[in-house]
Amino acid sequence: GNKMANIVEVRNLKLGEGIPKICVPLVGKTNEEILEEAKFLKNVKFDLIEWRVDHYENVEDLEKVKEIVKALREEVGETVILFTFRSKKEVGETVILFTFRSKKEGGELEVSDEYYAQLNKTVAETKLVDLVDVELFTGDEIVKDIVETAHNNGVKVVMSNHDFFKTPAKEEIISRLCKMQDLGADLPKIAVMPNTSEDVVTLLAATEEMSTKHANRPIITMSMGGLGLVSRLSGETFGSALTFGAAKAASAPGQISVDKLATILEVMHESK
């Protein structure tokens, strides 16, 4: 299809064209750790930050969350160097993805659906983050509510689903990604665990079919663990717009360091 329609622009980042963008997780527990990690990123090749707020010790206090969001935005402000792989380095505001990953989807904490919705909506309303992550299986009404609030505040939505035990059938993966589109996701995302190399092929085939036949926006897919590593590197080939790499600590099984990731993505891009 027409690939131009499939680009999502966030600040100076174009998701869905060229080299897959690199997202690095922030997993600090305290204000100090979070801001320290953000400082450290100034020397790292990446395109956007995922703040994994489920790791934050005060995640259940909305006022404290708002304060640290503000401090994080000030810290990453205008000063981070974005490596655009096109021989020049641009200075620009860093894109922040705000993610509360629930325990059932591999995160640190379980909160009520009501609080989950309130947390995401409150942070979207600050307009200090660029994207929020909304888990598909939270329930359609809650998902729609968060999406509506995010979009009303100019915040985009990564809609996600994670299976840490297995790889669903290709049709099921595609069906979940399609459902995310129907629910208003700007960036549908699925991460699955392979138990065999065939499972990795299933995820890649689902990605290719989704991106060429069903998607009218960029998608994000990955096969986790060491076995699935190829899926974190081959987004440009099969149709995944974003890949996650570790600056210091990995936030999911199979993440490699951003420096290695950036190098490999560049090699893949040049070999096309």
Side-chain angles (χ1 to χ4, degrees):
N2 171 14
K3 282 289 180 200
M4 274 314 289
N6 296 1
I7 290 172
V8 167
E9 288 197 48
V10 192
R11 296 188 189 260
N12 54 359
L13 206 56
K14 285 190 170 76
L15 290 153
E17 79 171 15
I19 296 181
K21 302 307 177 279
I22 297 176
C23 185
V24 295
L26 280 189
V27 292
K29 294 198 178 342
T30 64
N31 288 23
E32 296 68 39
E33 285 175 11
I34 290 163
L35 298 175
E36 201 46 53
E37 272 187 87
K39 274 196 185 71
F40 174 77
L41 291 178
K42 292 184 180 168
N43 310 307
V44 172
K45 290 189 182 189
F46 74 98
D47 297 291
L48 64 160
I49 289 172
E50 178 181 45
W51 178 29
R52 279 285 302 273
V53 70
D54 53 293
H55 285 261
Y56 179 44
E57 62 182 6
N58 298 316
V59 63
E60 295 182 83
D61 182 332
L62 283 176
E63 288 312 308
K64 290 196 167 134
V65 171
K66 281 198 280 190
E67 281 167 28
I68 185 65
V69 170
K70 192 165 185 292
L72 178 61
R73 172 51 74 200
E74 281 165 13
E75 179 58 50
V76 299
E78 304 265 6
T79 54
V80 173
I81 292 169
L82 294 184
F83 289 73
T84 59
F85 300 105
R86 284 169 280 283
S87 74
K88 70 180 197 303
K89 296 171 187 173
E90 307 177 349
V91 174
E93 289 203 335
T94 300
V95 175
I96 299 175
L97 161 61
F98 177 87
T99 300
F100 180 93
R101 179 66 60 242
S102 72
K103 198 153 199 159
K104 61 182 179 293
E105 299 232 355
E108 294 295 298
L109 188 67
E110 208 52 68
V111 295
S112 70
D113 288 345
E114 293 69 32
Y115 185 72
Y116 177 82
Q118 196 185 2
L119 175 67
N120 279 294
K121 286 159 63 176
T122 299
V123 169
E125 284 163 357
T126 67
K127 300 181 168 67
L128 293 167
V129 303
D130 304 290
L131 304 127
V132 291
D133 179 292
V134 180
E135 291 173 355
L136 170 65
F137 290 129
T138 313
D140 291 6
E141 292 317 306
I142 294 165
V143 167
K144 285 178 192 160
D145 183 32
I146 299 171
V147 168
E148 186 182 359
T149 302
H151 287 165
N152 287 344
N153 287 281
V155 172
K156 300 219 160 49
V157 175
V158 172
M159 204 174 292
S160 66
N161 172 237
H162 306 77
D163 190 325
F164 279 85
F165 304 102
K166 64 181 191 307
T167 298
K170 183 179 79 166
E171 294 67 31
E172 175 61 20
I173 293 172
I174 291 169
S175 143
R176 288 180 197 177
L177 291 166
C178 286
K179 180 164 191 195
M180 293 172 191
Q181 287 198 145
D182 296 342
L183 287 170
D186 298 285
L187 295 152
K189 174 195 170 189
I190 194 163
V192 297
M193 188 63 80
N195 294 306
T196 63
S197 53
E198 188 184 4
D199 285 344
V200 182
V201 177
T202 298
L203 180 277
L204 293 173
T207 306
E208 190 280 331
E209 188 169 318
M210 180 72 194
S211 67
T212 55
K213 296 195 171 66
H214 309 286
N216 51 12
R217 63 206 71 183
I219 62 168
I220 303 164
T221 68
M222 74 218 63
S223 180
M224 294 184 283
L227 198 52
L229 179 60
V230 62
S231 71
R232 297 181 183 277
L233 312 174
S234 58
E236 198 173 357
T237 306
F238 295 104
S240 177
L242 182 67
T243 184
F244 291 75
K248 277 185 174 167
S251 66
Q255 281 177 9
I256 61 168
S257 81
V258 280
D259 293 335
K260 284 182 182 164
L261 186 55
T263 304
I264 297 167
L265 292 177
E266 221 168 325
V267 170
M268 302 280 279
H269 182 71
E270 286 161 4
S271 309
K272 261 187 27 207

